[in-house]
Amino acid sequence: DGFFGAHCETGGGGGDPCVKDMYAEGCTAPCSMVGTCNDEGRCRGDGSCSCFDGFFGAHCETGGGGGDPCVKDMYAEGCTAPCSMVGTCNDEGRCRGDGSCSCFDGFFGAH
């Protein structure tokens, strides 16, 4: 919601459209999915991160593992399965707790 353009590159601000990676009223809050939210969440309209399931922290920097939190891009029991949203899932899905990809709507395949 609040985004438009062929690649959803515009929007996210209050009433006025913001340029990419700028959010909030007046487009004053920078946020990027990769940088600010560590590839483990999406930017909210106010510039904060909304973390994917299994991740938490102001920048979605913690979580992803079985019972114990893993470091970024490591998943599964014992944090042994590497996966990154950009690299492994081609930025068209997110990593599951077992290190495999869960594709966004309209995308399919292992990666």
Side-chain angles (χ1 to χ4, degrees), residues 33 38-42 51-55 63-65 71-76 81-104 110-111:
M33 190 168 138
N38 288 303
D39 280 336
E40 307 302 352
R42 296 213 181 268
C51 302
F52 296 137
D53 289 342
F55 293 89
V71 297
K72 181 178 174 351
D73 295 341
M74 294 301 292
Y75 297 80
C83 182
S84 77
M85 189 171 167
V86 174
T88 311
C89 301
N90 290 304
D91 215 15
E92 303 301 348
R94 63 183 178 95
C95 297
R96 292 185 179 134
D98 64 359
S100 65
C101 296
S102 175
C103 300
F104 296 138
H111 302 284

Side-chain angles (χ1 to χ4, degrees), residues 8-103:
C8 303
E9 72 275 13
T10 308
D16 297 325
C18 296
V19 296
K20 184 178 187 294
D21 296 340
M22 294 301 293
Y23 297 82
E25 189 73 33
C27 305
T28 57
C31 182
S32 75
M33 190 168 138
V34 174
T36 310
C37 302
N38 288 303
D39 280 336
E40 307 302 352
R42 296 213 181 268
C43 296
R44 293 185 179 128
D46 65 359
S48 65
C49 296
S50 175
C51 302
F52 296 137
D53 289 342
F55 293 89
F56 55 95
H59 302 286
C60 308
E61 69 276 11
T62 307
D68 297 342
C70 296
V71 297
K72 181 178 174 351
D73 295 341
M74 294 301 292
Y75 297 80
E77 182 94 21
C79 305
T80 57
C83 182
S84 77
M85 189 171 167
V86 174
T88 311
C89 301
N90 290 304
D91 215 15
E92 303 301 348
R94 63 183 178 95
C95 297
R96 292 185 179 134
D98 64 359
S100 65
C101 296
S102 175
C103 300

